[in-house]
C-alpha cells in the first residue's frame, strides 16, 4: 500500500513544497510520506479544521481550531488529508488558504469517498477510493478518540 502511495507522491513532486497537514487524523499518513520524500525540498506546517464534532456525518459547518504557524504567500502548497468524505471541509480549507495567497494549492488524500462528494474537488494525489462507510484507525478517529 505505502509503496504505491509514496511512488505517486514522490515521482510527481519536483518543486519546493510546503505540506499543510490536517491535524490530527492525517499525521500518520504524513509521517509515512515525509520519511519517503528524501531528496525533495519539503517544508511542513499544521492546520486543524473539523466539520464532524461528535457525529459520524459531516455537519457541513467548518471550524478552524489551529491556523498555520508560518506564512504561505507565494509557496506551493500540498494539503495532506486523511480522508475526503463530502468534500465540504476540504473546499472550505482551500478557500481559507487561498486568502493567504500561495502560488498553488494541491490536495493529497489517503482515502476519498467519491460516491459521497457533495462538491467538485481536484484531488491531485489520491491513494485509495473507498465506499461511503465510517471508518477509524491509522489516525482516523471518532470525536477525537
Amino acid at each position: 500500500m505505502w509503496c504505491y502511495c509514496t511512488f505517486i507522491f514522490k515521482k510527481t513532486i519536483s518543486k519546493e513544497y510546503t505540506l499543510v497537514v490536517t491535524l490530527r487524523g492525517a499525521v500518520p499518513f504524513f509521517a509515512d510520506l515525509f520519511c519517503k520524500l528524501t531528496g525533495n525540498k519539503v517544508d511542513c506546517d499544521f492546520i486543524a479544521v473539523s466539520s464532524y464534532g461528535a457525529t459520524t456525518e459531516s455537519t457541513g459547518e467548518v471550524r478552524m481550531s489551529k491556523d498555520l504557524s508560518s506564512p504561505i504567500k507565494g509557496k506551493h502548497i500540498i494539503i495532506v488529508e486523511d480522508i475526503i468524505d463530502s468534500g465540504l471541509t476540504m473546499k472550505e480549507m482551500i478557500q481559507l488558504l487561498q486568502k493567504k495567497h500561495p502560488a498553488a494549492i494541491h490536495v493529497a488524500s489517503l482515502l476519498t469517498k467519491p460516491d459521497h462528494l457533495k462538491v467538485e474537488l481536484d484531488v491531485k494525489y489520491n491513494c485509495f477510493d473507498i465506499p461511503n462507510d465510517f471508518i477509524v484507525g491509522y489516525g482516523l478517529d471518532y470525536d477525537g478518540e
Side-chain angles (χ1 to χ4, degrees):
M1 172 169 101
W2 291 119
C3 292
Y4 173 71
C5 291
T6 55
F7 173 76
I8 291 172
F9 206 70
K10 188 174 182 178
K11 184 175 180 173
T12 56
I13 292 182
S14 58
K15 299 177 187 168
E16 185 173 328
Y17 277 92
T18 297
L19 302 180
V20 173
V21 184
T22 57
L23 293 174
R24 293 179 302 205
V27 172
F29 177 46
F30 157 73
D32 283 344
L33 286 175
F34 193 75
C35 289
K36 303 285 191 258
L37 292 175
T38 57
N40 292 304
K41 291 190 149 220
V42 178
D43 191 14
C44 63
D45 204 342
F46 299 88
I47 191 168
V49 295
S50 178
S51 66
Y52 277 86
T55 67
T56 61
E57 294 271 333
S58 175
T59 64
E61 189 176 316
V62 177
R63 68 181 170 83
M64 182 184 301
S65 56
K66 186 210 176 300
D67 200 352
L68 298 173
S69 300
S70 302
I72 59 170
K73 184 175 182 177
K75 295 184 178 183
H76 292 268
I77 302 302
I78 298 176
I79 301 171
V80 179
E81 179 67 288
D82 54 354
I83 187 168
I84 297 176
D85 193 338
S86 68
L88 295 170
T89 303
M90 181 56 64
K91 183 175 180 181
E92 182 74 21
M93 188 173 4
I94 290 169
Q95 291 171 344
L96 289 169
L97 293 175
Q98 284 174 334
K99 292 176 184 176
K100 298 175 183 285
H101 307 288
I105 298 176
H106 299 290
V107 177
S109 182
L110 174 63
L111 306 169
T112 300
K113 296 180 180 181
D115 295 336
H116 197 249
L117 287 173
K118 295 185 173 147
V119 295
E120 191 171 317
L121 282 177
D122 179 21
V123 181
K124 185 169 184 171
Y125 311 102
N126 182 47
C127 292
F128 302 101
D129 288 337
I130 63 168
N132 187 26
D133 296 323
F134 188 80
I135 60 171
V136 295
Y138 195 68
L140 297 141
D141 64 12
Y142 172 71
D143 195 21
E145 297 183 26

